[in-house]
Amino acid sequence: MSGHSGGPVTIHPVKTKGDLREFVELAFRLNRGDPAWVPPLKGEVYGLLTPGKNPWFEHGKAQFFLARRNGRTIGRISAHIDTLALAQPAEQGMGPGTGNWGLLEAEDEVSAQALLAAAEDWLRAQGMHRSLGPLSISIWDEPGLLIDGFDIKPTVMMGHNSPLYRGWVEGAGYRPVKQLLNYDVAIDDGFPPIVNRIVAAGEKNARIRIRKVEKRRFAAEAALIMGLLNDAWSDNWGFVPLTDSEIAYVGKKLKDIVFEDLIRVAEVDGEPVAFIIVLPNINELLVDMEGSLLPFNWARLLWWLRKPKSRILRVPLMGVAKKLQNSRMASQLAFMMIEFIRRDAVRDYGTTHGDIGWVLDDNQGMKAVAEAINATVNRVYQIYDKPLT
């Protein structure tokens, strides 16, 4: 991060393709020296930011901003409003009058705070009275500012940012409202005896079936799982329902990195009631691709996807139907799904570690599951808010 080179900071809304290119490229320039930063695929980033490609824009609107000094781009931010988030009950984190910001990158504190002020002005002009962030762009993408665990490379679908940003955001008047925890767990030696006993009891229970997904019916499987997700997470802080077109979009995006033995659905008496999604850590490959699949990275990626070896597997999503939450059956199903995948992962993928997140800091059930398998917190993300008076 370079210091001031003098001159005032000016803020510009992104209007042209060239502006958008600068918005995307800036993250690569500012983070290039950070050994823990994993460059995203640029195609994915453009997809996230483009109405017509990302179905979030069917119920949300966004304005992107660039900060410039002496004609040079030195910062960026997004400001956005999600009509589905506005319709949520306020006590669940979102709700009426709450707008969002995200995708912050900046060379220095002056530009960061000018960008935050521009995002707030835009939200105010849209009638918002509270600013909550960072979200890039939805709660389902990359929520939260990394505040702990900067030396650890993030796994697939996890955000990373400079340790300086926390002070800049808090200096702009933001206060923490929620922490998201990410856990690391060693899996090669198996889980503690109590977990194994719970799993063994479940394996003897004729009512319970833990099955793999079928890739040839992946669209239907994705719809089933995301429907369960909308139910399982509906009382969680920050929840915003996924729409049918978002579910289809996620299914299409994940299809290439989905393996049948890494996604499980739990059925009780023939009814699907829980699921777990586990992804190979594609970041192990992306780290030296500079954000592009061209010219030869396509071939590397396809070769790797045929039979990935992945030292770390990431668990981005897991859920149990609401009607079973807080029951003994819920934790039993969770342990069974985790253990069944663990066995396959160690044997077939050469995996030694699991990466589980995000877990809301008030999600006692999931924290208890993590502690029971001896998982430890290795990264902490924080979401902030600020009244817009």
Side-chain angles (χ1 to χ4, degrees):
M1 302 272 167
S2 58
H4 298 289
S5 47
V9 173
T10 55
I11 302 295
H12 307 265
V14 167
K15 286 182 176 160
T16 65
K17 277 199 165 133
D19 293 341
L20 188 62
R21 189 176 314 115
E22 285 190 33
F23 189 95
V24 172
E25 294 291 342
L26 181 72
F28 287 77
R29 182 164 66 78
L30 291 188
N31 292 296
R32 194 156 274 136
D34 184 339
W37 191 68
V38 179
L41 289 171
K42 287 177 187 170
E44 293 283 308
V45 181
Y46 282 111
L48 177 77
L49 304 178
T50 307
K53 286 196 176 160
N54 180 354
W56 176 88
F57 285 97
E58 291 166 14
H59 53 86
K61 58 178 168 175
Q63 177 64 61
F64 308 121
F65 294 97
L66 298 171
R68 294 191 177 121
R69 181 185 286 120
N70 301 331
R72 190 167 156 269
T73 297
I74 55 165
R76 71 172 207 189
I77 201 168
S78 61
H80 33 96
I81 291 166
D82 182 340
T83 56
L84 295 181
L86 296 179
Q88 295 301 305
E91 61 275 11
Q92 243 179 278
M94 296 289 184
T98 297
N100 307 110
W101 59 272
L103 299 166
L104 174 69
E105 297 284 357
E107 270 188 23
D108 53 52
E109 183 161 11
V110 173
S111 53
Q113 296 194 345
L115 286 161
L116 284 163
E120 290 159 19
D121 285 345
W122 185 85
L123 292 173
R124 255 188 230 102
Q126 305 285 327
M128 300 295 114
H129 54 70
R130 175 173 171 248
S131 168
L132 178 124
L135 301 180
S136 310
I137 285 177
S138 103
I139 194 87
W140 297 107
D141 293 316
E142 286 181 9
L145 190 74
L146 183 66
I147 60 164
D148 193 20
F150 293 100
D151 51 338
I152 300 157
K153 277 194 170 66
T155 53
V156 57
M157 296 166 70
M158 296 295 273
H160 184 80
N161 53 261
S162 160
L164 296 171
Y165 291 2
R166 180 182 187 173
W168 299 352
V169 169
E170 291 176 3
Y174 282 83
R175 56 184 186 200
V177 280
K178 187 58 68 184
Q179 286 193 345
L180 306 170
L181 311 175
N182 193 69
Y183 287 86
D184 170 62
V185 58
I187 66 167
D188 36 356
D189 290 335
F191 295 135
I194 179 153
V195 175
N196 295 333
R197 284 199 297 275
I198 294 169
V199 171
E203 287 181 280
K204 291 193 191 84
N205 184 340
R207 297 176 58 206
I208 296 175
R209 174 179 175 233
I210 309 282
R211 68 170 180 84
K212 301 176 181 181
V213 297
E214 294 181 48
K215 197 156 184 178
R216 59 190 176 80
R217 337 187 288 113
F218 190 66
E221 297 278 43
L224 168 76
I225 287 171
M226 295 300 165
L228 269 174
L229 177 70
N230 271 341
D231 172 66
W233 286 41
S234 56
D235 291 339
N236 281 5
W237 184 92
F239 174 78
V240 177
L242 284 164
T243 64
D244 290 346
S245 51
E246 284 172 305
I247 289 168
Y249 178 68
V250 170
K252 207 166 86 201
K253 247 171 66 164
L254 289 184
K255 189 162 185 176
D256 293 332
I257 56 169
V258 157
F259 295 87
E260 295 188 329
D261 49 354
L262 295 182
I263 299 185
R264 301 287 166 118
V265 173
E267 295 174 354
V268 175
D269 299 327
E271 183 196 353
V273 289
F275 72 92
I276 182 170
I277 294 180
V278 178
L279 300 174
N281 183 26
I282 196 171
N283 283 9
E284 291 172 24
L285 225 64
L286 294 183
V287 72
D288 55 357
M289 285 191 178
E290 285 285 310
S292 172
L293 286 173
L294 304 170
F296 301 115
N297 288 336
W298 265 118
R300 277 178 62 200
L301 183 63
L302 291 171
W303 181 254
W304 183 81
L305 286 171
R306 283 176 53 183
K307 195 65 194 162
K309 288 295 180 207
S310 191
R311 191 176 60 80
I312 301 174
L313 287 176
R314 164 145 156 79
V315 185
L317 293 171
M318 181 170 160
V320 180
K322 207 181 339 186
K323 63 182 178 187
L324 286 180
Q325 287 171 10
N326 308 319
S327 71
R328 281 174 59 187
M329 177 73 87
S331 50
Q332 182 170 39
L333 295 174
F335 288 132
M336 288 175 76
M337 294 187 299
I338 292 169
E339 169 59 16
F340 285 16
I341 286 183
R342 185 199 73 77
R343 293 172 193 170
D344 287 353
V346 172
R347 187 186 66 229
D348 299 336
Y349 295 82
T351 305
T352 59
H353 282 259
D355 197 60
I356 304 171
W358 306 260
V359 177
L360 290 164
D361 57 10
D362 59 0
N363 185 341
Q364 300 312 333
M366 203 50 229
K367 285 166 77 175
V369 167
E371 280 152 27
I373 58 173
N374 293 335
T376 53
V377 174
N378 68 344
R379 289 167 80 83
V380 180
Y381 294 82
Q382 193 149 270
I383 294 180
Y384 292 89
D385 79 349
K386 176 183 178 179
L388 297 177
T389 42

